[in-house]
Amino acid sequence: MTIKEWLKDVYYAPFGQHLWSKQDADGGSQMVGEIRGWGAIQNEFNTEEEASDFQDKIGKFIADAINEKVQRDFGGENDKP
């Protein structure tokens, strides 16, 4: 197992706030991270919807950053879902 294999095609799933890596051709995935900080995030916004949207933006940003880093350091394509 390599870093590139473990962090293959990382994506964010907003229902559960997890980062996943596509591990199998049949669609199987492995959780590789979790977006935390809801206690702090919810206090920064006027509504729960705004806080939830922000948390989702953070998750997508981190997934994109991981994919860009893997591509830059190891070459090849990491798809963005």
Side-chain angles (χ1 to χ4, degrees), residues 11-19 35-36 38 41 45 48-64:
Y11 64 96
Y12 172 73
F15 303 106
Q17 299 82 36
H18 295 108
L19 296 163
I35 304 303
R36 303 290 305 221
W38 179 250
I41 291 171
F45 296 90
E48 189 172 316
E49 183 177 350
E50 289 175 304
S52 179
D53 288 345
F54 182 77
Q55 186 177 39
D56 290 346
K57 287 178 185 176
I58 293 291
K60 290 174 188 171
F61 180 90
I62 292 170
D64 287 346

Side-chain angles (χ1 to χ4, degrees), residues 59-72 80:
K60 290 174 188 171
F61 180 90
I62 292 170
D64 287 346
I66 290 169
N67 288 324
E68 289 175 18
K69 173 81 171 154
V70 168
Q71 182 181 13
R72 184 174 61 242
K80 294 179 184 174

Side-chain angles (χ1 to χ4, degrees), residues 9-30:
D9 304 330
V10 173
Y11 64 96
Y12 172 73
F15 303 106
Q17 299 82 36
H18 295 108
L19 296 163
W20 296 90
S21 175
K22 294 180 185 173
Q23 295 293 312
D24 300 319
D26 66 357
S29 297
Q30 173 65 46

